[in-house]
Short mmCIF file of all heavy atoms in Angstrom, two decimals:
data_model
loop_
_atom_site.label_atom_id
_atom_site.label_comp_id
_atom_site.label_asym_id
_atom_site.label_seq_id
_atom_site.Cartn_x
_atom_site.Cartn_y
_atom_site.Cartn_z
N ALA F 339 9.48 -4.24 -7.43
CA ALA F 339 9.74 -3.18 -6.44
C ALA F 339 9.10 -1.86 -6.89
O ALA F 339 8.76 -1.00 -6.06
CB ALA F 339 11.23 -2.99 -6.26
N ALA F 340 8.91 -1.71 -8.19
CA ALA F 340 8.35 -0.46 -8.72
C ALA F 340 6.90 -0.25 -8.29
O ALA F 340 6.38 0.87 -8.35
CB ALA F 340 8.44 -0.47 -10.24
N ALA F 341 6.27 -1.31 -7.83
CA ALA F 341 4.87 -1.18 -7.38
C ALA F 341 4.77 -0.25 -6.18
O ALA F 341 3.72 0.33 -5.92
CB ALA F 341 4.32 -2.55 -7.03
N ASP F 342 5.88 -0.10 -5.44
CA ASP F 342 5.83 0.72 -4.21
C ASP F 342 6.24 2.17 -4.42
O ASP F 342 6.19 2.98 -3.51
CB ASP F 342 6.79 0.11 -3.16
CG ASP F 342 6.32 -1.25 -2.72
OD1 ASP F 342 5.10 -1.50 -2.77
OD2 ASP F 342 7.18 -2.07 -2.36
N VAL F 343 6.68 2.52 -5.63
CA VAL F 343 7.17 3.89 -5.86
C VAL F 343 5.98 4.86 -5.93
O VAL F 343 5.00 4.59 -6.65
CB VAL F 343 7.96 3.96 -7.19
CG1 VAL F 343 8.38 5.39 -7.51
CG2 VAL F 343 9.17 3.06 -7.12
N ARG F 344 6.09 5.95 -5.19
CA ARG F 344 5.03 6.97 -5.26
C ARG F 344 5.20 7.83 -6.51
O ARG F 344 6.31 8.31 -6.78
CB ARG F 344 5.04 7.86 -4.02
CG ARG F 344 4.16 7.38 -2.88
CD ARG F 344 4.83 6.48 -1.91
NE ARG F 344 6.03 7.01 -1.33
CZ ARG F 344 6.06 7.71 -0.17
NH1 ARG F 344 4.97 7.97 0.48
NH2 ARG F 344 7.21 8.11 0.35
N ILE F 345 4.13 8.00 -7.26
CA ILE F 345 4.14 8.86 -8.45
C ILE F 345 3.10 9.96 -8.21
O ILE F 345 1.90 9.70 -8.11
CB ILE F 345 3.80 8.07 -9.74
CG1 ILE F 345 4.70 6.83 -9.88
CG2 ILE F 345 3.95 8.98 -10.96
CD1 ILE F 345 4.38 5.95 -11.09
N LEU F 346 3.61 11.19 -8.07
CA LEU F 346 2.74 12.33 -7.78
C LEU F 346 2.33 13.00 -9.08
O LEU F 346 3.10 13.01 -10.04
CB LEU F 346 3.47 13.34 -6.89
CG LEU F 346 4.25 12.80 -5.69
CD1 LEU F 346 4.84 13.96 -4.89
CD2 LEU F 346 3.36 11.93 -4.82
N TYR F 347 1.17 13.60 -9.07
CA TYR F 347 0.76 14.44 -10.20
C TYR F 347 0.99 15.90 -9.80
O TYR F 347 0.69 16.30 -8.66
CB TYR F 347 -0.72 14.23 -10.57
CG TYR F 347 -1.17 15.31 -11.53
CD1 TYR F 347 -0.84 15.23 -12.88
CD2 TYR F 347 -1.83 16.45 -11.07
CE1 TYR F 347 -1.16 16.25 -13.75
CE2 TYR F 347 -2.16 17.47 -11.94
CZ TYR F 347 -1.83 17.37 -13.28
OH TYR F 347 -2.13 18.39 -14.14
N GLY F 348 1.48 16.71 -10.74
CA GLY F 348 1.61 18.14 -10.49
C GLY F 348 1.19 18.93 -11.70
O GLY F 348 1.48 18.56 -12.85
N GLY F 349 0.50 20.03 -11.47
CA GLY F 349 0.05 20.91 -12.57
C GLY F 349 -1.33 21.42 -12.27
O GLY F 349 -2.32 20.73 -12.51
N SER F 350 -1.38 22.64 -11.66
CA SER F 350 -2.64 23.30 -11.38
C SER F 350 -3.58 22.49 -10.48
O SER F 350 -4.80 22.55 -10.63
CB SER F 350 -3.34 23.70 -12.68
OG SER F 350 -2.54 24.64 -13.39
N VAL F 351 -2.98 21.77 -9.53
CA VAL F 351 -3.81 21.04 -8.56
C VAL F 351 -4.41 22.04 -7.57
O VAL F 351 -3.72 22.95 -7.09
CB VAL F 351 -2.96 19.99 -7.79
CG1 VAL F 351 -3.74 19.41 -6.61
CG2 VAL F 351 -2.52 18.88 -8.74
N THR F 352 -5.68 21.85 -7.28
CA THR F 352 -6.36 22.66 -6.25
C THR F 352 -7.24 21.73 -5.41
O THR F 352 -7.42 20.56 -5.75
CB THR F 352 -7.29 23.73 -6.88
OG1 THR F 352 -8.36 23.04 -7.56
CG2 THR F 352 -6.56 24.65 -7.84
N LYS F 353 -7.81 22.32 -4.38
CA LYS F 353 -8.71 21.51 -3.55
C LYS F 353 -9.97 21.12 -4.33
O LYS F 353 -10.68 20.20 -3.95
CB LYS F 353 -9.05 22.23 -2.24
CG LYS F 353 -9.76 23.55 -2.36
CD LYS F 353 -9.95 24.09 -0.94
CE LYS F 353 -10.74 25.34 -0.76
NZ LYS F 353 -10.57 26.50 -1.53
N ASP F 354 -10.25 21.80 -5.42
CA ASP F 354 -11.45 21.48 -6.21
C ASP F 354 -11.23 20.39 -7.26
O ASP F 354 -12.20 19.88 -7.81
CB ASP F 354 -11.96 22.75 -6.91
CG ASP F 354 -12.31 23.81 -5.89
OD1 ASP F 354 -12.87 23.45 -4.83
OD2 ASP F 354 -12.00 25.00 -6.13
N ASN F 355 -9.97 20.08 -7.60
CA ASN F 355 -9.78 19.03 -8.62
C ASN F 355 -9.01 17.81 -8.11
O ASN F 355 -8.84 16.84 -8.85
CB ASN F 355 -9.11 19.60 -9.89
CG ASN F 355 -7.76 20.25 -9.60
OD1 ASN F 355 -7.04 19.82 -8.72
ND2 ASN F 355 -7.41 21.29 -10.36
N ILE F 356 -8.54 17.86 -6.86
CA ILE F 356 -7.68 16.76 -6.38
C ILE F 356 -8.45 15.46 -6.17
O ILE F 356 -7.91 14.37 -6.37
CB ILE F 356 -6.92 17.18 -5.08
CG1 ILE F 356 -5.90 16.10 -4.65
CG2 ILE F 356 -7.88 17.48 -3.95
CD1 ILE F 356 -4.79 15.84 -5.60
N THR F 357 -9.71 15.55 -5.80
CA THR F 357 -10.45 14.33 -5.45
C THR F 357 -10.48 13.35 -6.62
O THR F 357 -10.24 12.14 -6.44
CB THR F 357 -11.89 14.69 -5.00
OG1 THR F 357 -11.78 15.63 -3.94
CG2 THR F 357 -12.64 13.46 -4.51
N GLU F 358 -10.77 13.84 -7.82
CA GLU F 358 -10.85 12.96 -8.98
C GLU F 358 -9.46 12.45 -9.37
O GLU F 358 -9.31 11.32 -9.82
CB GLU F 358 -11.46 13.70 -10.19
CG GLU F 358 -12.96 13.98 -10.07
CD GLU F 358 -13.28 15.10 -9.10
OE1 GLU F 358 -12.41 15.97 -8.87
OE2 GLU F 358 -14.40 15.11 -8.54
N LEU F 359 -8.44 13.29 -9.19
CA LEU F 359 -7.09 12.86 -9.54
C LEU F 359 -6.60 11.75 -8.61
O LEU F 359 -6.09 10.72 -9.05
CB LEU F 359 -6.13 14.05 -9.49
CG LEU F 359 -6.28 15.07 -10.62
CD1 LEU F 359 -5.64 16.41 -10.25
CD2 LEU F 359 -5.67 14.54 -11.92
N ILE F 360 -6.81 11.94 -7.32
CA ILE F 360 -6.27 10.98 -6.36
C ILE F 360 -7.05 9.66 -6.41
O ILE F 360 -6.56 8.63 -5.94
CB ILE F 360 -6.23 11.59 -4.92
CG1 ILE F 360 -5.31 10.78 -3.99
CG2 ILE F 360 -7.60 11.73 -4.31
CD1 ILE F 360 -3.86 10.82 -4.36
N ALA F 361 -8.20 9.70 -7.02
CA ALA F 361 -8.98 8.45 -7.17
C ALA F 361 -8.36 7.52 -8.21
O ALA F 361 -8.71 6.34 -8.29
CB ALA F 361 -10.43 8.78 -7.55
N MET F 362 -7.46 8.02 -9.02
CA MET F 362 -6.84 7.20 -10.07
C MET F 362 -5.84 6.22 -9.43
O MET F 362 -5.13 6.57 -8.48
CB MET F 362 -6.10 8.10 -11.08
CG MET F 362 -6.98 9.05 -11.85
SD MET F 362 -8.00 8.21 -13.08
CE MET F 362 -9.61 8.47 -12.41
N GLU F 363 -5.76 5.05 -10.02
CA GLU F 363 -4.98 3.96 -9.42
C GLU F 363 -3.49 4.29 -9.20
O GLU F 363 -2.91 3.91 -8.18
CB GLU F 363 -5.09 2.75 -10.34
CG GLU F 363 -4.26 1.61 -9.86
CD GLU F 363 -4.79 0.27 -10.31
OE1 GLU F 363 -5.84 0.23 -10.98
OE2 GLU F 363 -4.11 -0.71 -9.99
N ASP F 364 -2.88 4.99 -10.15
CA ASP F 364 -1.43 5.21 -10.04
C ASP F 364 -1.05 6.62 -9.63
O ASP F 364 0.10 7.01 -9.76
CB ASP F 364 -0.76 4.85 -11.37
CG ASP F 364 -0.80 3.36 -11.58
OD1 ASP F 364 -0.07 2.65 -10.88
OD2 ASP F 364 -1.60 2.89 -12.42
N ILE F 365 -2.03 7.38 -9.17
CA ILE F 365 -1.72 8.74 -8.68
C ILE F 365 -1.65 8.67 -7.16
O ILE F 365 -2.63 8.35 -6.49
CB ILE F 365 -2.76 9.78 -9.17
CG1 ILE F 365 -2.74 9.82 -10.71
CG2 ILE F 365 -2.47 11.15 -8.58
CD1 ILE F 365 -3.63 10.86 -11.35
N ASP F 366 -0.46 8.93 -6.64
CA ASP F 366 -0.20 8.71 -5.22
C ASP F 366 -0.05 10.00 -4.44
O ASP F 366 0.54 10.00 -3.35
CB ASP F 366 1.08 7.87 -5.07
CG ASP F 366 1.00 6.57 -5.85
OD1 ASP F 366 -0.04 5.89 -5.74
OD2 ASP F 366 1.95 6.25 -6.60
N GLY F 367 -0.52 11.09 -5.01
CA GLY F 367 -0.42 12.36 -4.32
C GLY F 367 -0.17 13.47 -5.31
O GLY F 367 -0.32 13.28 -6.52
N ALA F 368 0.22 14.62 -4.77
CA ALA F 368 0.34 15.80 -5.64
C ALA F 368 1.56 16.63 -5.27
O ALA F 368 1.94 16.74 -4.09
CB ALA F 368 -0.91 16.65 -5.50
N LEU F 369 2.17 17.21 -6.30
CA LEU F 369 3.17 18.26 -6.11
C LEU F 369 2.45 19.55 -6.50
O LEU F 369 1.96 19.68 -7.63
CB LEU F 369 4.39 18.00 -7.00
CG LEU F 369 5.52 19.03 -6.93
CD1 LEU F 369 6.01 19.27 -5.51
CD2 LEU F 369 6.72 18.57 -7.79
N VAL F 370 2.35 20.45 -5.54
CA VAL F 370 1.47 21.61 -5.68
C VAL F 370 2.29 22.89 -5.66
O VAL F 370 3.09 23.11 -4.75
CB VAL F 370 0.47 21.64 -4.49
CG1 VAL F 370 -0.55 22.76 -4.69
CG2 VAL F 370 -0.22 20.30 -4.31
N GLY F 371 2.09 23.73 -6.64
CA GLY F 371 2.78 25.02 -6.67
C GLY F 371 1.89 26.11 -6.10
O GLY F 371 1.78 26.30 -4.89
N GLY F 372 1.21 26.82 -7.00
CA GLY F 372 0.41 27.98 -6.61
C GLY F 372 -0.50 27.76 -5.41
O GLY F 372 -0.55 28.59 -4.49
N ALA F 373 -1.21 26.65 -5.39
CA ALA F 373 -2.19 26.41 -4.33
C ALA F 373 -1.54 26.06 -2.99
O ALA F 373 -2.23 25.95 -1.98
CB ALA F 373 -3.16 25.31 -4.75
N SER F 374 -0.20 25.91 -2.99
CA SER F 374 0.46 25.62 -1.70
C SER F 374 0.88 26.89 -0.99
O SER F 374 1.37 26.85 0.14
CB SER F 374 1.68 24.72 -1.91
OG SER F 374 2.75 25.44 -2.52
N LEU F 375 0.69 28.03 -1.64
CA LEU F 375 1.15 29.30 -1.06
C LEU F 375 0.17 29.90 -0.06
O LEU F 375 0.50 30.83 0.66
CB LEU F 375 1.44 30.31 -2.18
CG LEU F 375 2.66 29.99 -3.04
CD1 LEU F 375 2.76 30.95 -4.22
CD2 LEU F 375 3.94 30.03 -2.21
N LYS F 376 -1.05 29.37 -0.08
CA LYS F 376 -2.06 29.82 0.89
C LYS F 376 -2.45 28.60 1.72
O LYS F 376 -2.78 27.54 1.15
CB LYS F 376 -3.30 30.35 0.18
CG LYS F 376 -3.06 31.65 -0.60
CD LYS F 376 -3.36 32.86 0.29
CE LYS F 376 -3.21 34.19 -0.41
NZ LYS F 376 -1.87 34.52 -0.86
N ALA F 377 -2.43 28.76 3.03
CA ALA F 377 -2.67 27.60 3.90
C ALA F 377 -4.02 26.94 3.60
O ALA F 377 -4.11 25.71 3.58
CB ALA F 377 -2.60 28.04 5.36
N ASP F 378 -5.06 27.75 3.33
CA ASP F 378 -6.37 27.09 3.15
C ASP F 378 -6.41 26.27 1.87
O ASP F 378 -7.00 25.19 1.82
CB ASP F 378 -7.53 28.09 3.23
CG ASP F 378 -7.48 29.10 2.10
OD1 ASP F 378 -6.38 29.36 1.57
OD2 ASP F 378 -8.55 29.62 1.73
N GLY F 379 -5.71 26.74 0.83
CA GLY F 379 -5.65 25.98 -0.42
C GLY F 379 -4.88 24.67 -0.22
O GLY F 379 -5.32 23.60 -0.66
N PHE F 380 -3.78 24.76 0.47
CA PHE F 380 -2.92 23.57 0.67
C PHE F 380 -3.61 22.57 1.63
O PHE F 380 -3.70 21.38 1.34
CB PHE F 380 -1.57 24.03 1.23
CG PHE F 380 -0.51 22.98 1.22
CD1 PHE F 380 -0.16 22.31 0.05
CD2 PHE F 380 0.18 22.65 2.39
CE1 PHE F 380 0.85 21.34 0.03
CE2 PHE F 380 1.19 21.68 2.39
CZ PHE F 380 1.52 21.03 1.21
N LEU F 381 -4.12 23.10 2.73
CA LEU F 381 -4.79 22.21 3.69
C LEU F 381 -6.07 21.63 3.09
O LEU F 381 -6.46 20.51 3.39
CB LEU F 381 -5.10 22.96 4.99
CG LEU F 381 -3.86 23.37 5.80
CD1 LEU F 381 -4.25 24.26 6.98
CD2 LEU F 381 -3.08 22.15 6.30
N GLY F 382 -6.69 22.41 2.20
CA GLY F 382 -7.89 21.91 1.51
C GLY F 382 -7.56 20.69 0.66
O GLY F 382 -8.32 19.72 0.60
N ILE F 383 -6.41 20.73 -0.01
CA ILE F 383 -5.98 19.57 -0.82
C ILE F 383 -5.71 18.38 0.11
O ILE F 383 -6.19 17.26 -0.13
CB ILE F 383 -4.71 19.93 -1.62
CG1 ILE F 383 -5.05 20.97 -2.70
CG2 ILE F 383 -4.08 18.68 -2.25
CD1 ILE F 383 -3.86 21.61 -3.39
N ILE F 384 -5.01 18.64 1.19
CA ILE F 384 -4.67 17.55 2.12
C ILE F 384 -5.95 16.93 2.71
O ILE F 384 -6.05 15.70 2.86
CB ILE F 384 -3.75 18.09 3.25
CG1 ILE F 384 -2.41 18.50 2.64
CG2 ILE F 384 -3.55 17.06 4.35
CD1 ILE F 384 -1.55 19.38 3.52
#
Side-chain angles (χ1 to χ4, degrees):
D342 295 332
V343 175
R344 269 90 55 92
I345 308 177
L346 315 183
Y347 168 79
S350 297
V351 170
T352 66
K353 61 182 185 314
D354 300 321
N355 58 33
I356 186 63
T357 305
E358 288 74 24
L359 288 161
I360 197 66
M362 297 287 114
E363 177 154 358
D364 290 288
I365 299 184
D366 305 313
L369 179 54
V370 186
S374 72
L375 290 173
K376 293 268 183 296
D378 64 334
F380 192 55
L381 293 173
I383 292 169
I384 294 164

